[in-house]
Amino acid sequence: MNLSILLIEDNEQNRYLTTFLLNKFGHSVTSAYDGPSGIALALEQKFDLILLDIQLPGMDGYEVARTLRATPATEHIAIVAVTSYAMVGDRESILEAGCDGYLEKPIDPETFVTDITAYFTNKTGEMQNDTCVGSR
């Protein structure tokens, strides 16, 4: 299954690595540097999955997730936070904001694509997969 993925990430190195890994497995990746441009892209194009950094300039990932969930055109898209936020309560706050899943940075290149696919399949029910840790 090839996914169309929106990556909202301000760090150029993280965008490069994430895009490289996802492209390697046949997924299409469109990137946004900040929350407002990510929301705009989500409204302009059809995506299967959104990967969302939480610590973004201007509009943080919490606000982006809440906005996407409150918008009928994007409310159904699986959103996975990929973030360095790893303190007690961060995961819960991220899920409460509307994300379907949570992955900590630094990502593990060996398991990243499998983890991302698991979040998508758990959200859509397209494939049975019990490897999704941390989803709602």
Side-chain angles (χ1 to χ4, degrees):
M1 164 190 339
N2 295 336
L3 301 176
S4 177
I5 299 171
L6 173 59
L7 171 62
I8 306 174
E9 167 67 65
D10 63 320
N11 182 285
E12 185 176 347
Q13 291 176 328
N14 290 341
R15 281 195 314 269
Y16 175 81
L17 176 60
T18 301
T19 300
F20 174 80
L21 291 171
L22 292 167
N23 286 165
K24 183 177 173 183
F25 285 87
H27 302 298
S28 169
V29 180
T30 301
S31 295
Y33 174 80
D34 61 17
S37 61
I39 292 169
L41 281 169
L43 293 172
E44 293 170 7
Q45 299 178 36
K46 182 183 181 303
F47 294 101
D48 299 309
L49 176 67
I50 296 172
L51 301 180
L52 177 63
D53 185 18
I54 297 299
Q55 191 172 357
L56 294 167
M59 173 188 249
D60 68 27
Y62 297 109
E63 189 175 348
V64 172
R66 284 190 289 270
T67 300
L68 292 169
R69 286 293 175 241
T71 305
T74 58
E75 67 185 358
H76 66 284
I77 302 172
I79 302 171
V80 177
V82 182
T83 182
S84 59
Y85 283 20
M87 300 299 290
V88 174
D90 285 338
R91 179 182 171 278
E92 292 75 14
S93 296
I94 288 167
L95 297 176
E96 286 173 15
C99 292
D100 298 292
Y102 167 89
L103 291 175
E104 287 182 31
K105 291 179 186 174
I107 63 170
D108 180 350
E110 298 293 321
T111 62
F112 180 71
V113 175
T114 302
D115 293 341
I116 295 305
T117 303
Y119 286 112
F120 170 76
T121 56
N122 279 351
K123 174 79 174 183
T124 65
E126 283 193 20
M127 295 180 356
Q128 293 298 319
N129 189 335
D130 295 329
T131 63
C132 182
V133 176
S135 67
R136 328 195 289 175

